[in-house]
Amino acid sequence: SKINATGEAGAAAADALIEKFTELAVAVAAAFSVEKVAEFINETAELNASLGLTAKRLGLNTEDLYAWGQAAEETGGDLNSLTGFFDYLNRGMADIAVKGTSRLKPFFDELKIKVTDAPHHVKPLLDVVGQLSDAFAKMDAQQRAGFGEKFGADPGTVLMLAQGRRGVLDLVQAQKEMGTVTEADTEIAHKYERSLEEMHDRLRLVGTAISSEILPKLTGFFDMVGKII
């Protein structure tokens, strides 16, 4: 009958519409996934390149710095706060080696921690952090918070150091066993970042050349239109 034929035609049209929407949804999801993957790759490259530069600035092994950062996250800290703490210690230790004093020297002296092992030569940064860890482990929470603030350590880092040198090293080792970022990884990321920056610079120059060619003509056109109006 005509009614059945019309119903069947309507159902077929509905099925076709649903199929088209499904295809569109799949295409949009795929494009979104590709964009997210690209975004993740770029973020990872940026973080790894920054990690490599920070490790060099601090005089640390890349794998060590990454593992320490991951360990700090276990106690509520993060890599940025940890490197800020390391930077502050490094500057204070350098001042002691060169000038014989720094704003941190009274605090090191109070904890009986020597940061130099020869005239004008500081101990490795992580050795000094290990000594601080043992000192923090013997303090109550209020003392740790006070000394943590003096040494520029965030609460998460203070909590990590409170476990003592052995406890901290166990945390760091556990992170290394799960996997770490190597110096080679950071070098690859740094080259990628440089390549990306150079491409952006080239595109900017191309855009400038095109704009310099087109803009005067557009300006003249707009001026002419303005006079007519």
Side-chain angles (χ1 to χ4, degrees):
S1 68
K2 289 184 178 181
I3 294 176
N4 288 340
T6 302
E8 289 173 0
D15 287 343
L17 186 61
I18 291 171
E19 185 179 348
K20 288 294 181 185
F21 272 118
T22 301
E23 290 174 358
L24 179 61
V26 170
V28 170
F32 183 75
S33 298
V34 169
E35 181 183 354
K36 284 297 179 184
V37 169
E39 183 181 329
F40 174 74
I41 290 172
N42 286 333
E43 286 179 357
T44 301
E46 183 179 352
L47 289 172
N48 287 350
S50 176
L51 176 72
L53 293 174
T54 302
K56 287 179 181 177
R57 185 180 73 245
L58 293 170
L60 297 177
N61 178 287
T62 302
E63 290 90 336
D64 284 341
L65 180 58
Y66 178 80
W68 274 78
Q70 293 299 105
E73 289 186 5
E74 293 290 318
T75 55
D78 58 68
L79 181 60
N80 285 336
S81 298
L82 180 72
T83 54
F85 165 60
F86 283 172
D87 265 324
Y88 192 60
L89 280 187
N90 246 0
R91 290 196 300 272
M93 290 162 58
D95 282 344
I96 292 173
V98 175
K99 305 173 186 177
T101 188
S102 81
R103 67 179 66 185
L104 295 183
K105 190 174 187 304
F107 311 137
F108 281 126
D109 290 345
E110 188 174 350
L111 297 177
K112 296 180 172 56
I113 294 175
K114 283 201 59 159
V115 301
T116 57
D117 51 14
H120 306 297
H121 186 270
V122 295
K123 294 178 180 178
L125 174 63
L126 294 182
D127 284 0
V128 175
V129 174
Q131 293 180 71
L132 275 174
S133 298
D134 284 339
F136 276 32
K138 299 172 184 175
M139 300 177 187
D140 59 35
Q142 288 72 28
Q143 285 179 305
R144 279 197 301 271
F147 272 101
E149 187 174 345
K150 292 173 182 177
F151 283 107
D154 64 286
T157 297
V158 170
L159 195 57
M160 177 179 70
L161 298 179
Q163 299 181 54
R165 186 199 307 250
R166 186 67 264 160
V168 173
L169 291 179
D170 286 344
L171 263 181
V172 171
Q173 184 58 36
Q175 295 301 324
K176 286 183 176 180
E177 289 172 0
M178 285 191 286
T180 185
V181 176
T182 66
E183 186 173 349
D185 293 330
T186 64
E187 288 175 357
I188 290 170
H190 183 63
K191 287 178 181 177
Y192 171 78
E193 288 283 296
R194 288 288 302 276
S195 178
L196 203 59
E197 288 173 9
E198 289 172 3
M199 184 190 71
H200 286 160
D201 289 341
R202 290 193 187 99
L203 289 175
R204 193 176 297 113
L205 290 173
V206 170
T208 299
I210 293 173
S211 297
S212 296
E213 183 69 27
I214 294 175
L215 290 180
K217 296 175 182 177
L218 285 175
T219 302
F221 173 75
F222 291 145
D223 288 343
M224 182 182 68
V225 171
K227 289 175 183 177
I228 294 172
I229 295 174

